[in-house]
Amino acid sequence: MRKLIAALLIVAATAFAAPLAHAVQPDEVMADPAKEARARELSRELRCMVCQNQSIDDSDATLAKDLRLLVRERIAAGDSNRQVIDYLVERYGEFVLLKPRFELHTLLLWLVPPLVLVGGGLGLWLHIRRRGRDTARVGEAPKPLSADEQARLDKLLTEGADRT
C-alpha cells in the first residue's frame, strides 16, 4: 500500500512539475548570460507553430527548437530584440507572435474583446433596469374594467355557467 501511495505521489509531482519545465536544451544555452536572458525573453514571446498556444521556450517540438536556435543565432550576430522579432515576423508572419502587435490590420483583434465586454455589461444593465421596472408594476393595483369590458365579461361568465 505504501508503495502504491509513493508511486501515485511521484506521478502527481511529475504531472504538476512537467508544465513548469522549459524545453530549452543545455546545448542551446548561450555562453553569455545576458544574451541568454534576451533569448529566453524573446522565446517566451514567440508562438510554436506546431503547438499553437505554447511559446517556443516551453515547446519540445522540433520547429520550436529550430526557432530557439534561430533567435540565438540572430542575437549572436548582434541583432536587437526588435530586429529579431521583425525578422521572424517577416519570415513566418504575424502568427509567430503570441501577442500580436497593435496595428491597423490587427485592430479588430484588439478591439473586439473590450467591445464585447462593454456591450455585455450594457445589455446586463438594461436587462436589470427593465426587470426592475416590471417588478415595480407587479405591486400596482390593476386598472378597473370599463363598462363595455365588464358587460362582455358578465356575458361570457353566464354563457359558461349555462354550459355546465
Side-chain angles (χ1 to χ4, degrees):
M1 186 66 172
R2 287 185 184 178
K3 289 182 180 179
L4 178 64
I5 292 173
L8 288 174
L9 287 174
I10 290 171
V11 169
T14 305
F16 286 115
L20 300 175
H22 295 287
V24 177
Q25 303 299 315
D27 62 330
E28 297 174 34
V29 177
M30 299 179 84
D32 183 1
K35 288 183 179 181
E36 178 61 25
R38 281 182 53 211
R40 295 298 292 268
E41 178 185 331
L42 288 171
S43 294
R44 287 186 201 101
E45 296 176 19
L46 299 170
R47 178 188 319 272
C48 174
M49 306 299 246
V50 176
C51 308
Q52 301 292 324
N53 276 343
Q54 199 174 23
S55 72
I56 63 171
D57 194 50
D58 297 327
S59 175
D60 287 327
T62 307
L63 180 60
K65 180 177 181 175
D66 292 343
L67 287 173
R68 286 192 304 267
L69 291 173
L70 184 59
V71 166
R72 282 166 173 74
E73 285 174 17
R74 301 298 296 189
I75 289 173
D79 286 359
S80 69
N81 289 3
R82 183 72 177 174
Q83 289 172 320
V84 173
I85 294 290
D86 289 343
Y87 175 78
L88 290 169
V89 167
E90 181 182 318
R91 190 168 181 184
Y92 296 101
E94 268 309 300
F95 189 72
V96 78
L97 300 175
L98 275 173
K99 189 175 182 182
R101 298 173 178 164
F102 189 78
E103 294 177 356
L104 186 60
H105 67 280
T106 60
L107 192 62
L108 190 62
L109 177 70
W110 283 99
L111 293 181
V112 165
L115 290 176
V116 167
L117 189 63
V118 168
L122 181 63
L124 183 63
W125 178 73
L126 289 172
H127 174 72
I128 290 171
R129 188 169 167 223
R130 189 176 317 129
R131 190 170 174 188
R133 258 187 301 186
D134 292 345
T135 305
R137 287 187 205 144
V138 170
E140 296 174 7
K143 294 188 280 182
L145 297 175
S146 67
D148 291 338
E149 291 170 334
Q150 187 64 46
R152 186 170 175 218
L153 178 62
D154 291 339
K155 180 182 174 190
L156 289 172
L157 286 174
T158 56
E159 286 176 8
D162 292 341
R163 288 185 192 167
T164 57

